[in-house]
Amino acid sequence: MDYRDIDLGLSVPWADRNIGSTMPRNPGSHYSWGDNLKWRSERSYYAIFDNIPHNICGNADFDIATIETSGRFRLPSTDEIKELINNCKWTWIDADNESYPLSGYDVCGPNGNRIFLPAAGYGRGSVDGESFVEEYDIYGCYWSGQIYPDNNLAHCLVLKHNTVALDSEWRSKGLSIRPVLNK
């Protein structure tokens, strides 16, 4: 896929779309933290990934953004997510099925450039084939490349109407990936 880097006037440019998306306003794919395959279920994650480095930003073994873009992009750090939250203007946009297939945030950088972060939900469930994406079009959750102090969790950007925050989520959940340029 042809990911474009968008200079928002921050320390790193952000990709114009989520990993797995063919268009900037579409949801893309969901991934467990550190997994290089599309999300299947929570049980399959822990069977494979019990010893991952605490920071996988740019790590070609665990960072799906690095793998999918041949090293051009990577997962954002927690500091880069904080910078995005604190220095950009966030405007919630409801889905209209034409221009915006999903609700989400228009994120305007200090220089006036924009990206759209769709509320693509998150994957949950422990059985392959019976797991599902929950809160689609309501809630968005985007991985960082860093583990939370509790090793079962990793830092992520969470968003829903009137909420944008750095938080944490179980590494086995299926979250979206919005990468940054690997400088």
Side-chain angles (χ1 to χ4, degrees), residues 83-146:
E83 180 185 41
L84 185 74
I85 292 168
N86 295 328
N87 294 302
C88 294
K89 180 181 177 194
W90 294 73
T91 305
W92 181 261
I93 297 176
D94 287 318
D96 63 12
N97 296 324
E98 294 172 18
S99 300
Y100 293 90
L102 279 176
S103 300
Y105 275 99
D106 172 77
V107 183
C108 183
N111 65 5
N113 291 338
R114 302 173 132 66
I115 58 173
F116 180 74
L117 293 174
Y122 63 96
R124 66 181 292 240
S126 60
V127 179
D128 287 357
E130 294 180 18
S131 297
F132 55 94
V133 173
E134 188 167 69
E135 298 201 45
Y136 190 77
D137 196 41
I138 298 168
Y139 180 82
C141 209
Y142 290 80
W143 287 126
S144 81
Q146 294 174 272

Side-chain angles (χ1 to χ4, degrees), residues 111-183:
N111 65 5
N113 291 338
R114 302 173 132 66
I115 58 173
F116 180 74
L117 293 174
Y122 63 96
R124 66 181 292 240
S126 60
V127 179
D128 287 357
E130 294 180 18
S131 297
F132 55 94
V133 173
E134 188 167 69
E135 298 201 45
Y136 190 77
D137 196 41
I138 298 168
Y139 180 82
C141 209
Y142 290 80
W143 287 126
S144 81
Q146 294 174 272
I147 284 183
Y148 192 73
D150 174 340
N151 286 342
N152 292 313
L153 307 171
H155 291 282
C156 58
L157 169 66
V158 295
L159 53 94
K160 59 184 176 179
H161 192 264
N162 294 325
T163 302
V164 176
L166 179 66
D167 204 345
S168 61
E169 188 54 82
W170 293 99
R171 295 185 305 148
S172 59
K173 300 277 191 219
L175 275 55
S176 300
I177 307 273
R178 178 58 62 99
V180 296
L181 191 65
N182 194 12
K183 291 175 132 182

